[in-house]
Amino acid sequence: MISHPQEAAKFVANDERMHWHDKALWFVRDKRDAASKSIPEWEELRDIASEIKIHTLSKLDVYLEEFEKNATEKGIVVHWAKDAEEHNQIVYSLLEKNNVRKLVKSKSMLTEECHLNPYLEERGIEVIDTDLGERIVQLRNEAPSHIVLPAIHLKRSEVSDTFHKELGTEKGNDDPTYLTRAARKSLREDFLSAGAGLTGVNFAIAQTGGVVVCTNEGNADMGSSLPKLHIASMGIEKIIPKLEHLGVFTRLLARSATGQPITSYTSHYHAPVVDGEMHIVIVDNKRTQFLGSKDYYKALNCIRCGACMNTCPVYRRSGGHSYSYVIPGPIGSTLGNFKDPKANKTLPFACTLCGSCTNVCPVKIDLDTQLYTHRQDLNAQGLLSKQKTISMKIAAWVMQRPVLFDLLGKTMRKVVPLLPKSLVYNKYNIWGQTRDLPKMPKNSFKELYKKGLKDEL
Ligand code: SF4
């Protein structure tokens, strides 16, 4: 089991990396703030987006069937997969039937969730991730560390080293334009020689039976139009009822993700290419279980913008690879813990409950409340460590005894200033290396509150 605190400790051990990772993501968060403030009706858009999603989830069966009917009429073949295994089998059988030995894939977190790449590679099919960030991590044999910026944990020099080793670029040349051109040249050859292209789906429109994919690099368009076989993998929650609803989400998505007004490409697919085939695989993989959960169903609203990661103080300082679920950050913590609480039980605690994720989420998912509720569920399921349960029991016991609580508070306010400084500031106490103990107040909050906070304010 991957433990978030243990993996985070490895990430923060490199102080310099931790700081630039934090800064890089805060820069994106700042851009998102500026973009959202440029639209006066931003909050209204968030409300509408959330309502559309909740409405769609309440009639999901109806909209999925409408989508299937309309897509089928346009010559698209729709497949249903109850879980990751079935999804992978369907994709593999389509590739086998068409004698495909190389697949170009544009970013799809669903295929990461289903572990499609290793599944196909074990069966002799070469899979090329074509989003630049995804390609970089694929060449390094790593997982994406962010859903929108998969290689955000890497420095330019590391990308340069990887490209030198894998693509034969000049050693030490870390010029971004040079490296991007090298990646483009190599990917161009892959697009031309691939037998099939697989894309994710950002939105599937029930009314039209078409799907929409948003990218900044145009790689989905290359992968879906050059090969004759296009497979689109989507979770059941990607459905929106009508075309007129799309604009609400496209206005929110790119602004929330990177601060751009819109993604460079918003591609609509409504039919196979000439003389080709288009297949859509609709995947459940435990999503219907969310629908039945009053505490967590809203997690299905997610449009995968990544804003909750960019703002999260824990994610920014611990990196995406410290999370045990395939999607990191606040949304990954709630999705992962719901799907497999045993494997992901440390994730709801990778959270300060500051609520910043909830504030930025364009579809108004109550992320901090969900993470708080997961903690209680984990306790009820007996999945918390003894350390945590015993210390919480002691704290609860003390807090239920106000006289004792007040006495302990009073004693600590007097004793702490007299303790030797070495107890806090020593090489074994990481907390004390970057922080000062606050000055002990004369009175407790309770005393101040009783006095109407007069003296201290
Ligand atoms: S939970 Fe909200 S903020 Fe986070 S990725 Fe999903 S839509 Fe974006």
Side-chain angles (χ1 to χ4, degrees), residues 147 256 301-309 331 357 360-365 367:
I147 58 175
S256 299
N301 279 12
C302 181
I303 55 171
R304 305 284 191 265
C305 70
C308 56
M309 287 153 221
I331 183 64
C357 47
V360 298
C361 177
V363 280
K364 295 201 135 179
I365 302 173
L367 290 158

Side-chain angles (χ1 to χ4, degrees), residues 31-173:
K31 280 175 67 190
R32 170 258 168 221
D33 285 355
S36 66
K37 286 185 179 65
S38 71
I39 297 186
E41 67 276 23
W42 182 257
E43 289 305 319
E44 203 185 326
L45 272 179
R46 289 178 73 212
D47 283 335
I48 297 170
S50 171
E51 281 164 21
I52 295 171
K53 279 283 181 180
I54 288 170
H55 163 81
T56 314
L57 291 176
S58 72
K59 292 179 181 293
L60 198 56
D61 53 336
V62 176
Y63 287 123
L64 282 168
E65 282 177 12
E66 184 185 344
F67 173 79
E68 181 185 34
K69 180 176 154 290
N70 290 329
T72 309
E73 276 171 13
K74 290 183 163 66
I76 300 167
V77 185
V78 176
H79 306 258
W80 300 88
K82 71 171 187 301
D83 55 21
E85 179 68 21
E86 222 168 80
H87 165 266
N88 294 348
Q89 281 168 3
I90 292 167
V91 173
Y92 178 62
S93 68
L94 290 170
L95 300 178
E96 272 293 281
K97 211 168 104 203
N98 288 278
N99 293 318
V100 174
R101 301 327 300 165
K102 185 193 264 193
L103 173 74
V104 278
K105 197 158 78 65
S106 78
K107 201 168 66 170
S108 148
M109 285 313 293
L110 177 60
T111 56
E112 292 288 335
E113 178 187 322
C114 296
H115 304 292
L116 179 70
N117 286 20
Y119 183 93
L120 294 180
E121 281 157 7
E122 277 163 24
R123 287 157 182 80
I125 292 172
E126 189 185 0
V127 185
I128 307 286
D129 282 313
T130 59
D131 169 270
L132 179 58
E134 287 266 327
R135 185 66 182 139
I136 294 167
V137 291
Q138 186 184 33
L139 289 172
R140 295 171 62 88
N141 255 327
E142 288 176 0
S145 70
H146 187 289
I147 58 175
V148 176
L149 312 158
I152 188 72
H153 59 289
L154 295 171
K155 283 183 152 182
R156 253 161 51 186
S157 56
E158 289 169 305
V159 177
S160 167
D161 291 346
T162 305
F163 277 20
H164 171 66
K165 196 166 144 227
E166 304 294 336
L167 303 180
T169 56
E170 286 166 26
K171 192 170 172 50
N173 190 339

Side-chain angles (χ1 to χ4, degrees), residues 25 29 32 146-147 256-257 302 304-316 323 327-334 354-362 365 367-368 371:
L25 287 157
R29 155 78 210 258
R32 170 258 168 221
H146 187 289
I147 58 175
S256 299
C302 181
R304 305 284 191 265
C305 70
C308 56
M309 287 153 221
N310 304 341
T311 200
C312 175
V314 177
Y315 174 86
R316 281 189 279 116
Y323 290 76
I327 297 175
I331 183 64
S333 298
T334 188
C354 68
S356 184
C357 47
T358 303
N359 289 341
V360 298
C361 177
I365 302 173
L367 290 158
D368 59 320
L371 292 172

